Amino acid sequence: PFEPFADTALLQQAVTDSFCQLAEQTVAKNGVFRVSLSGGSTPRRVYEMLSQRELPWDRIHWFWGDERNVPHDHDDSNFRMVHTALLSKVDIPPQNIHAVPVDVESPAKAAEQYEQTLRQHFHGPVPDWDLVLLGMGDDAHTASLFPDTLGLGEQKRWFIENWVPKFDAFRYTMTYPAIESARNTWFIITGEAKQDALKQVLFGAEDPARYPSQRIRPTRWFVDAAACG
Ligand code: 6PG
């Protein structure tokens, strides 16, 4: 379904250019662009590159598709990553930044609060994102929908806390119904470590409990040669 990029830098450039194009077009048409961000190392460079571009910053709303259950100033925080790479460098109205309100002791409460935030912004039965950015882990998780976790079965909620036994920790994550509502879903997958998972996602027998990324129907794939093997 895609042409792999020869290397990660080219891929990051392509994601950055495509993001700018889509954001500009969407703002011209609808006056607003609403994007759900992913964590991970590949998008971090994209966020840095976006900070060098001219964009209608006051019209772009930033949401997070997943978050770790740590304070916003923690090294593992996805909010902190995006803040450092992008949000702190450009003039974005604070009301356009919709971080997950992490509550380390009560993740269920924080997830419920973020659900309300999303429902205030999207009035339909599903959040119709202009863009959802997703990565994939080498275990085929996406967002924080990890293999064999309860969150995979969520049908009603848009955003939940999800217990991940292998980390002995909660993660926060968008659910499948919320992801599936996006107008654009870009799957960004780089590096050799993803080869096996990517093979399963593209060609393996369907087993989404084990390979949660199989359920994602991206509108665009950004995959590098290393991930393809
Ligand atoms: C996170 C994510 C996660 C990520 C993948 C891939 O916060 O961990 O959003 O789903 O996208 O783990 O991460 P890399 O791009 O770093 O390989």
Side-chain angles (χ1 to χ4, degrees):
F2 53 77
E3 261 314 296
F5 287 84
D7 64 53
T8 314
L10 284 173
L11 177 149
Q12 286 160 328
Q13 189 63 55
V15 177
T16 306
D17 292 344
S18 304
F19 184 105
C20 292
Q21 213 177 21
L22 183 64
E24 274 157 11
Q25 278 169 1
T26 308
V27 168
K29 202 167 134 233
N30 303 334
V32 65
F33 181 68
R34 295 178 290 197
V35 57
S36 164
L37 303 169
S38 66
S41 48
T42 310
R44 181 174 52 216
R45 182 74 196 120
V46 171
Y47 304 146
E48 281 167 4
M49 293 199 298
L50 284 175
S51 76
Q52 309 293 319
R53 306 287 284 254
E54 291 289 327
L55 281 169
W57 298 113
D58 57 329
R59 299 306 178 104
I60 303 178
H61 283 256
W62 309 86
F63 297 84
W64 275 256
D66 81 321
E67 185 54 280
R68 288 91 187 269
N69 194 27
V70 295
H72 282 169
D73 59 357
H74 192 285
D75 280 351
D76 294 340
S77 164
N78 281 341
F79 168 78
R80 182 187 148 115
M81 186 275 274
V82 182
H83 185 261
T84 308
L86 169 65
L87 305 176
S88 62
K89 295 182 185 160
V90 288
D91 199 10
I92 299 176
Q95 66 270 22
N96 290 21
I97 300 173
H98 310 279
V100 179
V102 169
D103 182 336
V104 178
E105 297 306 318
S106 311
K109 214 165 82 188
E112 171 71 41
Q113 214 177 313
Y114 204 54
E115 171 101 13
Q116 293 314 320
T117 299
L118 296 181
R119 289 188 189 265
Q120 277 157 20
H121 280 269
F122 301 95
H123 301 296
V126 284
D128 51 345
W129 303 103
D130 296 304
L131 176 62
V132 169
L133 297 178
L134 291 175
M136 181 181 74
D138 54 12
D139 60 356
H141 82 263
T142 189
S144 280
L145 295 165
F146 283 81
D148 299 313
T149 54
L150 277 177
L152 299 180
E154 181 60 43
Q155 301 290 333
K156 291 204 191 95
R157 291 274 301 268
W158 296 355
F159 195 87
I160 54 170
E161 75 286 6
N162 193 22
W163 178 253
V164 184
K166 76 171 175 185
F167 300 141
D168 198 22
F170 280 103
R171 288 281 191 104
Y172 299 96
T173 188
M174 196 142 73
T175 60
Y176 284 125
I179 293 173
E180 282 160 6
S181 69
R183 297 198 182 92
N184 296 281
T185 308
W186 296 352
F187 221 162
I188 302 171
I189 302 171
T190 63
E192 213 182 332
K194 311 290 168 68
Q195 272 180 26
D196 291 342
L198 182 60
K199 235 175 258 163
Q200 292 298 336
V201 168
L202 292 173
F203 311 117
E206 237 172 276
D207 188 358
R210 185 155 171 213
Y211 305 109
S213 294
Q214 284 183 338
R215 276 197 54 184
I216 303 302
R217 297 278 171 265
T219 54
R220 282 186 76 173
W221 295 84
F222 290 90
V223 177
D224 71 356
C228 292

